[in-house]
Amino acid sequence: MPKKRASNVKRRSSQDDQLPPKQSKLTQSDTPSPLCFDSPDSLFESLIQPMKTEQFFREYWEKKPLHLQRSDPSIASYYQSLFQLSDLQSLCSQGLEYYRDVNVVRCINGKKKVLNKEGHVKSSVLNKTFVQNKATIQFHQPQRFKDELWRIQEKLECFFGALVGSNVYITPQESQGLPPHYDDVEVFILQLEGEKRWRLYKPTVPLASEYSLESEERIGSPTHDIVLKTGDLLYFPRGTIHQAMTPAGVDHSTHLTLSTYQRTSWGDLLLDVFPSLMFDSSRTEVGLRAGMPRRLLLGSSEGLDTSRQLAASLRSLADKMETGMQEVRSAHMKRDFIMNRLPPYSQQELLTPSGKIPALEDMVSLRLKEHMVITVEPSQERTDESTELVVFVLHSLKNQRESHMMGESPDEEEEQDISRGLQFPLSHLQALRQLQQVEQLAVDELQLPTQEDKLSLVLALWSESLLVVV
């Protein structure tokens, strides 16, 4: 499974490795796509066809595995065009490095053996290890190089509203790359070449929130024993214990793992919204600003009284949330998603403002809404006055495809630029929500007090390529 750094997403964890400053993209074949890219919904439904999206989420999502067998040769041909063993030679000429871009592994006696070399990956050495050691080649985040995977994963990130990573696994016959384990992501396996035998087992930790190995002694008998053939798709929920092997008589297997919904649970959302809930409530509830018992931190005053006081405060907060008196604001999860997701497909065409400059009499529309989030957060400006709330409009139009899911932080100046996005006074929140909720709107109808405020808002959005005149 793709790795993620310590913050929130499934990415490579090495901070010392940097991508080459420039990377060329592999040219995609002209193989017709069986997928429908008209919208995120249509893309997902075409990915799991012939099943319907509603049935999938009702019967399988976070519940049980699903194996979709395909006999259509056009689907098999398309899957093979996404990534194949023969692509490695040209990819190795693009400055790939072991650990960062490629892992070479083999499962021996239930243990993972890492066979990586040092430094850059050479095609001849990689092929030799693959053949002689019967090792699995794990290619990290191929969407950085493959346009069609960028196109698929960008749409899937819009569909799920969560990061979508990928790995490619290439395994020779009668070999296994990884020991039995479970992951903290929802997994979609696309069989690209050859065949792969998958054994799935009942989770020991349903909907697991972390990766873990499991011993053969603990997992029991498989609940599913499946052979994936080219064009097939396999889904299983996070926590599902699994292992996979290329059968005898199959030269090699290549499969793509699409993974999503890491740390995207109700518990993660509570962790995200709770600080802002307490910040807002403390500004209006004097009881929350009252001092806690003396010497509590030294353990001298712990007990039922403290627990009851905290429980009463939480109940009051829950009541206000339930009745709509207390707004729930996600900030960190929104920022993490929008800062680290893929940019729109064909990104360069979207980086400059489009069409005429908006005027008061114009009808305008937000573009690329699925690549934009609105957050309400404390102002980051340091002043002697009390902290005020402001509105941020964050977007992913300038994100770097080459670092997607790799866990690499931009330098400090770039990080400030990306993380801040556009900032507006809290009084602009309603107008921004107006634009979010409708297909198009007259500038003059924005709920702002002055015409200057209305024009200033749409000009700022237009300059960031987030708005167009209809």
Side-chain angles (χ1 to χ4, degrees):
M1 299 300 124
K3 297 296 181 185
K4 96 177 188 177
R5 68 186 174 114
S7 66
N8 250 16
V9 292
K10 196 111 185 167
R11 313 183 196 110
R12 290 287 300 151
S13 58
S14 173
Q15 296 179 355
D16 298 327
D17 297 325
Q18 298 297 318
L19 283 171
K22 292 184 180 179
Q23 293 188 1
S24 61
K25 296 173 287 187
L26 289 185
T27 303
Q28 296 296 313
S29 71
D30 295 327
T31 306
S33 173
L35 304 180
C36 178
F37 291 90
D38 291 346
S39 70
D41 288 351
S42 67
L43 183 278
F44 182 76
E45 186 149 307
S46 64
L47 182 68
I48 63 167
Q49 55 100 358
M51 180 163 287
K52 298 298 183 183
T53 302
E54 182 182 353
Q55 181 187 0
F56 172 78
F57 282 96
R58 183 178 64 248
E59 298 180 15
Y60 295 95
W61 176 255
E62 294 190 328
K63 297 181 182 71
K64 61 183 180 181
L66 169 67
H67 177 205
L68 294 174
Q69 296 175 282
R70 273 74 174 266
S71 57
D72 187 341
S74 66
I75 295 178
S77 178
Y78 174 72
Y79 272 27
Q80 187 173 10
S81 75
L82 295 175
F83 199 108
Q84 49 195 297
L85 176 62
S86 59
D87 290 338
L88 289 175
Q89 183 173 356
S90 57
L91 282 165
C92 286
S93 67
Q94 299 189 40
L96 302 183
E97 292 187 8
Y98 286 102
Y99 296 100
R100 185 194 67 193
D101 301 301
V102 171
N103 271 339
V104 184
V105 296
R106 186 177 179 190
C107 178
I108 301 175
N109 298 323
K111 303 290 184 182
K112 182 176 78 170
K113 184 175 182 180
V114 180
L115 302 171
N116 286 354
K117 308 297 183 183
E118 294 296 327
H120 290 291
V121 180
K122 295 181 180 179
S123 176
S124 58
V125 175
L126 185 64
N127 186 63
K128 183 178 179 180
T129 308
F130 177 73
V131 173
Q132 294 186 356
N133 296 89
K134 302 188 75 172
T136 290
I137 299 169
Q138 179 188 26
F139 194 99
H140 300 134
Q141 311 304 335
Q143 71 277 11
R144 297 175 294 143
F145 301 90
K146 288 285 206 169
D147 285 352
E148 192 71 359
L149 291 178
W150 173 17
R151 189 182 179 201
I152 292 170
Q153 289 175 235
E154 183 258 330
K155 272 286 191 289
L156 287 176
E157 287 185 332
C158 292
F159 177 79
F160 286 109
L163 295 169
V164 176
S166 69
N167 274 351
V168 164
Y169 296 84
I170 307 175
T171 305
Q173 67 174 314
E174 296 187 274
S175 185
Q176 179 170 329
L178 300 172
H181 67 280
Y182 60 80
D183 296 287
D184 55 348
V185 286
E186 301 295 303
V187 171
F188 296 84
I189 306 292
L190 280 61
Q191 186 66 29
L192 309 185
E193 290 184 306
E195 299 179 5
K196 197 84 174 264
R197 180 190 178 195
W198 287 82
R199 284 174 287 171
L200 312 181
Y201 305 81
K202 183 179 179 180
T204 52
V205 183
L207 301 181
S209 58
E210 59 184 1
Y211 167 93
S212 180
L213 296 173
E214 282 285 16
S215 66
E216 293 274 5
E217 293 75 24
R218 274 175 51 88
I219 60 179
S221 300
T223 58
H224 299 73
D225 195 332
I226 296 165
V227 175
L228 289 188
K229 299 182 179 181
T230 306
D232 286 0
L233 181 145
L234 174 65
Y235 158 80
F236 50 84
R238 54 195 188 276
T240 303
I241 302 166
H242 56 279
Q243 58 180 327
M245 170 180 277
T246 302
V250 177
D251 180 73
H252 70 275
S253 162
T254 304
H255 79 260
L256 171 75
T257 296
L258 296 170
S259 59
T260 190
Y261 252 62
Q262 187 179 49
R263 297 187 186 174
T264 316
S265 68
W266 284 111
D268 295 306
L269 183 60
L270 276 171
L271 286 171
D272 186 38
V273 303
F274 201 75
S276 65
L277 285 172
M278 293 310 303
F279 176 83
D280 294 345
S281 298
S282 296
R283 299 182 80 175
T284 57
E285 295 288 337
V286 67
L288 291 175
R289 301 199 300 272
M292 60 187 183
R294 197 168 50 83
R295 297 178 61 80
L296 176 66
L297 299 181
L298 296 174
S300 303
S301 304
E302 293 180 1
L304 282 177
D305 288 345
T306 299
S307 296
R308 288 184 185 123
Q309 178 63 43
L310 291 173
S313 298
L314 289 172
R315 275 193 292 270
S316 174
L317 189 59
D319 290 341
K320 290 180 179 178
M321 290 168 58
E322 194 168 23
T323 57
M325 294 175 61
Q326 181 69 55
E327 186 175 7
V328 178
R329 295 188 283 106
S330 170
H332 177 75
M333 288 179 73
K334 281 187 174 183
R335 278 182 175 269
D336 188 81
F337 171 53
I338 213 70
M339 287 169 58
N340 293 292
R341 65 165 301 183
L342 280 165
Y345 187 66
S346 302
Q347 176 186 23
Q348 291 301 319
E349 303 169 10
L350 305 169
L351 292 181
T352 54
S354 176
K356 70 183 291 278
I357 299 174
L360 283 170
E361 64 274 11
D362 287 327
M363 297 289 290
V364 295
S365 175
L366 288 181
R367 65 197 301 228
L368 299 165
K369 290 183 183 181
E370 289 154 334
H371 282 268
M372 181 184 77
V373 297
I374 297 172
T375 68
V376 178
E377 304 175 54
S379 171
Q380 297 176 3
E381 295 179 6
R382 297 178 181 179
T383 67
D384 292 333
E385 299 177 3
S386 60
T387 303
E388 66 172 353
L389 295 175
V390 294
V391 181
F392 289 98
V393 176
L394 311 173
H395 64 82
S396 56
L397 271 61
K398 299 176 183 177
N399 287 4
Q400 297 301 306
R401 166 202 182 181
E402 291 80 9
S403 59
H404 182 241
M405 303 295 280
M406 295 298 289
E408 295 170 355
S409 299
D411 59 46
E412 187 174 346
E413 181 179 351
E414 186 181 6
E415 185 169 22
Q416 285 183 353
D417 179 58
I418 295 174
S419 64
R420 283 179 176 269
L422 293 171
Q423 179 178 324
F424 299 100
L426 190 59
S427 58
H428 286 49
L429 178 60
Q430 189 56 42
L432 286 163
R433 286 178 173 168
Q434 275 183 279
L435 289 166
Q436 250 191 339
Q437 293 165 4
V438 299
E439 287 300 318
Q440 58 187 50
L441 185 72
V443 175
D444 201 40
E445 293 178 8
L446 288 169
Q447 294 181 18
L448 287 168
T450 68
Q451 292 187 332
E452 182 182 356
D453 286 339
K454 297 173 183 179
L455 198 54
S456 175
L457 173 63
V458 295
L459 284 173
L461 294 170
W462 177 83
S463 68
E464 285 287 299
S465 301
L466 297 174
L467 178 141
V468 291
V469 175
V470 179

